[in-house]
Amino acid sequence: MGVVNVTPDSFSDGGRYLDPDAAIAHGLELLREGADVLDIGGESTRPGATRPLVAEELGRVVPVIAGLAAEGAVVSVDTMRAEVAEAAVAAGAAVVNDVSGGLADAAMLPCVASSGVTYVAMHWRAHSDRMSRFTDYGDDVVATVRSELADRVESALSAGLAPDRLVLDPGLGFAKTADQSWQLLAAVSDLSSLGHPLLVGASRKSFLGSLLADADGTPRPVDDRETAHVAVLGHCMRHDVWGVRVHDVRAACDTFRAQGRLGWTDERGAGRWTMSWP
């Protein structure tokens, strides 16, 4: 899943693709590099971010989704709002990637259930401007996240979402310390046992920057974390992860090809999970 941020303030590339034509061109380049899905987001979820108005988010993502879908791309919309999800699906989106797992907007789960698209429910506890206050997971972050994701599964299925249209995401970096994100990655197979495909988004995140910090504690810059991320991708491929959300599609695909030659699943790392698009 290649990331296309149509925002002025995303932590990795905010403002670079705010113009719709630039965003579409970037998405097409990611497709050429090997992306299977393009994830279009109009709201930054970096720590401390404030939310755009609904009209702003719609204006950012809908033209880009329509343009990329017209080129034959499988498009995902990264949104927490049912109104944006509905407009995105009408514009051609086949996936709704909701970092709140349906908790930010009560209308989201009924909306995606009736649309027939694939839904990604991420583990989430609070909006970006206050999520750092919600990192208490007791003695076992893996067990707690698994339990809270299980609640999201129950809510999604109760709303009428087809079981084969539900993907889960552990939410690395969202209301989680760096150490908690590493613990979740190490135990990612435990989350697969919930019975739904997993999407993992580790690309360029702060827990990588903390790991690679200078001697004085300064985190490694965002654009210089890909080598460590490649190691994370290999781990995901070996542990039954369905998809990875990445900024550097070429590096990800190179990793999967190399792992495939070493005998891990197939050349694309798809494992046992498959997905057909509406």
Side-chain angles (χ1 to χ4, degrees):
M1 180 181 279
V3 177
V4 181
N5 287 319
V6 194
T7 60
D9 56 345
S10 290
F11 78 96
S12 64
D13 54 9
R16 195 176 301 174
Y17 309 113
L18 188 58
D19 177 76
D21 289 339
I24 291 169
H26 180 57
L28 294 176
E29 177 62 22
L30 296 184
L31 288 179
R32 286 190 289 270
E33 291 178 350
D36 298 298
V37 182
L38 299 175
D39 194 39
I40 316 303
E43 175 181 353
S44 173
T45 52
R46 63 176 174 79
T50 56
R51 307 195 71 188
L53 298 173
V54 175
E56 289 178 310
E57 188 179 354
L58 285 167
R60 292 171 184 175
V61 301
V62 170
V64 178
I65 291 168
L68 289 169
E71 295 289 337
V74 176
V75 181
S76 166
V77 61
D78 179 357
T79 186
M80 292 181 274
R81 289 169 164 148
E83 184 176 347
V84 176
E86 185 176 19
V89 171
V95 184
V96 174
N97 180 17
D98 178 3
V99 300
S100 82
L103 292 171
D105 186 341
M108 179 64 89
L109 293 179
C111 173
V112 293
S114 63
S115 72
V117 299
T118 294
Y119 180 64
V120 181
M122 196 190 80
H123 178 268
W124 183 87
R125 285 185 160 186
H127 285 290
S128 297
D129 60 349
R130 56 194 179 92
M131 66 181 177
S132 62
R133 307 174 203 165
F134 294 85
T135 60
D136 184 359
Y137 292 87
D139 296 330
D140 192 337
V141 63
V142 177
T144 303
V145 168
R146 189 185 187 284
S147 176
E148 292 178 9
L149 277 175
D151 291 342
R152 295 293 83 220
V153 171
E154 182 178 356
S155 294
L157 299 184
S158 296
L161 191 78
D164 62 352
R165 290 290 176 192
L166 179 60
V167 176
L168 303 177
D169 182 335
L172 303 179
F174 286 79
K176 297 169 187 75
T177 65
D179 185 60
Q180 288 167 344
S181 291
W182 284 113
Q183 289 180 58
L184 285 166
L185 270 175
V188 72
S189 294
D190 291 348
L191 303 178
S192 293
S193 66
L194 286 167
H196 295 274
L198 285 185
L199 176 69
V200 170
S203 181
R204 300 183 179 177
K205 286 191 173 176
S206 60
F207 71 93
L208 296 174
S210 299
L211 174 73
L212 305 172
D214 293 341
D216 64 0
T218 302
R220 180 78 63 84
V222 167
D223 290 337
D224 198 18
R225 300 172 183 175
E226 192 58 35
T227 305
H229 182 234
V230 162
V232 171
L233 294 175
H235 172 77
C236 289
M237 185 175 179
R238 295 191 298 272
H239 289 83
D240 206 25
V241 168
W242 165 76
V244 288
R245 185 179 183 274
V246 306
H247 297 83
D248 190 335
V249 168
R250 182 178 180 182
C253 289
D254 287 352
T255 301
F256 298 149
R257 292 188 183 104
Q259 293 280 353
R261 289 292 292 172
L262 293 170
W264 295 105
T265 65
D266 59 35
E267 288 189 356
R268 299 305 305 279
R272 67 186 175 96
W273 301 106
T274 59
M275 191 70 66
S276 61
W277 310 109

